[in-house]
Amino acid sequence: MKSRSILLPALVLASCAGQPSAERPNVIVILADDLGCGDLSALGCEVLHTPNLDRLCAQGLNLTNGHAAAPTSTPSRYSLMTGFYPWRNSDAEVLTGDANLLIADGQPTLAGMMRQAGYATGAVGKWHLGLGRGPIDWNRPISPSPADVGFDYSFIMAATVDRVPTVYVENGGVVGLDASDPLEVSYTANFPGEPTALTNPEMLRLKPSMGHSCSIVNGIPRIGFMRGGHSACWVDEEMADEFLARAKGFIDDNRDRPFFLYYGLHQPHVPRVPHTRFAGKSGMGARGDAILEADWCVGELMRHLGESGLADNTIVIFTSDNGPVLDDGYVDQARELWGDVSPAQPYRGGKYSLFDGGTHVPFFVRWPGHIRPGRSDALVCQMDLFASLAGLLGQPVPEGLDSRNTLDAFLGRSPQGRDEIVYGSMGRLTYRHGDWQLIPPFEGPAVDATDIETGNSDAWALYDLKADVSQRTDLAAEYPEKVSAMRARLNEIIRGHYEF
């Protein structure tokens, strides 16, 4: 395989087919963090009960072949937001908490398209797409921010719960910061005298299983180092309530105009520290408790929509940024408690994996009176929300995007979704065509530190996902001509970026 850094292609506007729609429903995208299909009782989980997500699934369309564009957070979120394959951007990897904005200046985005269509736009919750240009001064207004990629309002965490800075950023500014206690962040070296998991393990209430040995906040060790900003630090147990309140507030502030809300749940990503209302309630440890908390958040948001009289005129899309993981860096008994129960079931792999479980995620779409409740096996991808919602609203779509208008599949009007997808980022790619998945050879362990099968092997692998949903039979040797044809098509798609 060879690769090279790439530039975004030149973009020109091309009109969507059809006339602007007379309907302008509100749109809410709820994106969970590391949630698998096997985590929801509606999808077959027998160790947890998720009544609110089950209800959302039953009232809408259950897209049983729904996918993220990559098996990790930043790349899949980049794809959802921009309509580009993440492997086209050589910087689309899991970002540090002080990383710069991944989206290029002037690059079209889903939020920008919605704003152009006359929508109020808001981002609440996990961001993980970077902020600013150059070194970030967290004590001053940060630019660029979500406002520069199409969001009128934003209340976010910069990266992940386990990465510093552990502060909220509202409309480009750190919330609750005391000027006499400035916030400093580093991903290269600790600040003199600041405690870490290695120097002060007696301060920990949650121990790391791997990594996560840097700065301690709320008794939890994180990735990266920070100093100061104490008044601005979040309280982990209160995060779900905080984000939910901001999401409800955005809805209330914009109830008299169409709105687009991107609501990034932080559950069940590590560290899993749910509110005391949920701690110990699942019987499946902190990970199970965090999933119950996420289910409650969705239920509360849906209840608020109903009480506001907005539920029938709102498209609610629920999905996850990538597949699930059990032990992702903290000792919280997830691996022991879940045992042989796979949160990716029935799919193989999980977060980080090239197998189907890396990107195959829950995917529900609800729009009363427009989407008939049921299920669809159409192959759909989060990346296609850009072009599909643009098609619904009669908005122009930039030429050169990888996003495709599969609106009829999202609305249950057609069983046909995408024909093909190239999943992954940073050169670790896999190709899906119809029911077939082709995995190129990659060096590395067959099972990673999180105990997830990576999909790495020394030979091409081919799977028939319709006949073998759990990918137990490699058919590459039996169908060499199909391997050759799919390999040629994969190289045609990724030409100029990678070659296998």
Side-chain angles (χ1 to χ4, degrees):
M1 180 190 73
K2 62 180 181 179
S3 66
R4 65 180 185 180
S5 297
I6 59 96
L7 297 175
L8 295 174
L11 298 175
V12 295
L13 293 181
S15 297
C16 286
Q19 298 299 314
S21 172
E23 297 170 321
R24 291 204 300 170
N26 306 311
V27 178
I28 300 177
V29 174
I30 306 174
L31 192 65
D33 198 357
D34 297 353
L35 188 75
C37 291
D39 286 322
L40 306 182
S41 44
L43 301 183
C45 180
E46 297 180 351
V47 296
L48 292 176
H49 180 45
T50 50
N52 297 296
L53 287 167
D54 293 359
R55 186 178 305 112
L56 183 63
C57 176
Q59 293 176 348
L61 186 66
N62 176 13
L63 291 158
T64 62
N65 207 356
H67 289 259
T72 52
S73 173
T74 298
S76 71
R77 291 166 192 266
Y78 172 82
S79 180
L80 188 157
M81 195 62 62
T82 66
F84 270 111
Y85 278 126
W87 47 263
R88 294 196 187 278
N89 187 333
S90 60
D91 296 322
E93 58 182 323
V94 178
L95 296 180
T96 59
D98 62 349
N100 284 162
L101 183 64
L102 185 59
I103 301 171
D105 294 339
Q107 184 175 352
T109 65
L110 171 59
M113 181 276 294
M114 298 297 289
R115 185 158 67 182
Q116 184 177 350
Y119 279 63
T121 56
V124 173
K126 178 175 175 177
W127 181 244
H128 212 187
L129 289 168
L131 295 168
R133 296 278 184 246
I136 300 173
D137 183 350
W138 299 94
N139 307 285
R140 300 173 60 86
I142 302 167
S143 181
S145 72
D148 298 278
V149 296
F151 288 104
D152 301 319
Y153 174 76
S154 61
F155 185 91
I156 61 171
M157 59 172 162
T160 59
V161 193
D162 60 342
R163 285 172 170 81
V164 301
T166 54
V167 297
Y168 299 119
V169 180
E170 185 174 28
N171 294 330
V174 174
V175 178
L177 196 60
D178 183 347
S180 65
D181 182 30
L183 173 63
E184 298 175 86
V185 174
S186 172
Y187 274 75
T188 57
N190 192 22
F191 298 97
E194 290 297 309
T196 70
L198 298 179
T199 62
N200 294 85
E202 75 282 357
M203 295 177 61
L204 303 180
R205 60 172 171 140
L206 187 60
K207 295 181 180 180
S209 60
M210 55 186 143
H212 300 92
S213 60
C214 301
S215 289
I216 304 169
V217 182
N218 298 332
I220 302 170
R222 318 283 170 154
I223 299 173
F225 305 98
M226 62 180 284
R227 176 169 64 181
H230 294 88
S231 63
C233 286
W234 65 52
V235 177
D236 293 77
E237 291 89 341
E238 298 175 0
M239 181 174 286
D241 287 11
E242 193 72 54
F243 285 149
L244 178 62
R246 302 292 175 153
K248 289 180 178 179
F250 175 80
I251 291 170
D252 292 342
D253 291 343
N254 296 283
R255 59 177 302 161
D256 295 326
R257 60 179 294 193
F259 62 78
F260 168 68
L261 173 62
Y262 174 75
Y263 180 25
L265 301 175
H266 67 285
Q267 306 100 332
H269 194 285
V270 297
R272 298 149 182 156
V273 189
H275 194 278
T276 55
R277 293 190 304 271
F278 304 97
K281 297 299 192 294
S282 69
M284 293 299 290
R287 186 174 184 275
D289 300 342
I291 292 171
L292 297 189
E293 183 179 62
D295 179 75
W296 174 82
C297 289
V298 172
E300 286 296 294
L301 190 73
M302 296 303 296
R303 182 181 62 80
H304 190 72
L305 279 176
E307 292 175 350
S308 302
L310 300 173
D312 288 348
N313 192 40
T314 301
I315 300 174
V316 177
I317 301 163
F318 176 84
T319 185
S320 178
D321 61 348
N322 47 248
V325 60
L326 294 175
D327 181 355
D328 206 19
Y330 292 94
V331 179
D332 64 3
Q333 293 189 295
R335 190 179 295 179
E336 294 81 2
L337 287 167
W338 288 74
D340 294 332
V341 178
S342 170
Q345 66 179 359
Y347 312 112
R348 188 175 181 182
K351 184 179 182 179
Y352 310 117
S353 178
L354 293 168
F355 287 117
D356 197 36
T359 60
H360 204 145
V361 291
F363 211 133
F364 312 146
V365 185
R366 178 187 186 273
W367 188 14
H370 298 266
I371 295 177
R372 179 179 297 176
R375 57 175 286 165
S376 170
D377 296 329
L379 179 61
V380 296
C381 183
Q382 295 164 3
M383 176 174 64
D384 294 329
L385 291 175
F386 191 145
S388 300
L389 289 172
L392 175 69
L393 300 174
Q395 291 298 301
V397 175
E399 285 186 356
L401 290 194
D402 299 300
S403 183
R404 298 290 178 263
N405 185 344
T406 54
L407 181 65
D408 285 346
F410 284 125
L411 298 183
R413 298 172 180 170
S414 170
Q416 182 63 42
R418 270 187 165 262
D419 294 324
E420 58 182 359
I421 307 176
V422 179
Y423 301 115
S425 65
M426 304 297 293
R428 292 193 77 249
L429 309 178
T430 179
Y431 176 51
R432 170 79 179 265
H433 185 273
D435 293 322
W436 294 87
Q437 184 187 16
L438 181 70
I439 303 178
F442 291 101
E443 296 181 352
V447 178
D448 66 14
T450 67
D451 203 28
I452 289 174
E453 292 183 286
T454 60
N456 294 332
S457 73
D458 58 3
W460 291 83
L462 179 70
Y463 297 94
D464 179 351
L465 297 179
K466 185 173 183 178
D468 179 22
V469 67
S470 298
Q471 293 181 284
R472 296 303 168 191
T473 305
D474 178 3
L475 299 173
E478 188 173 345
Y479 295 98
E481 292 182 357
K482 179 169 281 293
V483 171
S484 179
M486 291 183 68
R487 178 178 179 178
R489 176 55 181 156
L490 169 62
N491 280 319
E492 180 182 358
I493 296 171
I494 64 177
R495 182 177 297 135
H497 304 285
Y498 302 95
E499 182 178 345
F500 293 101

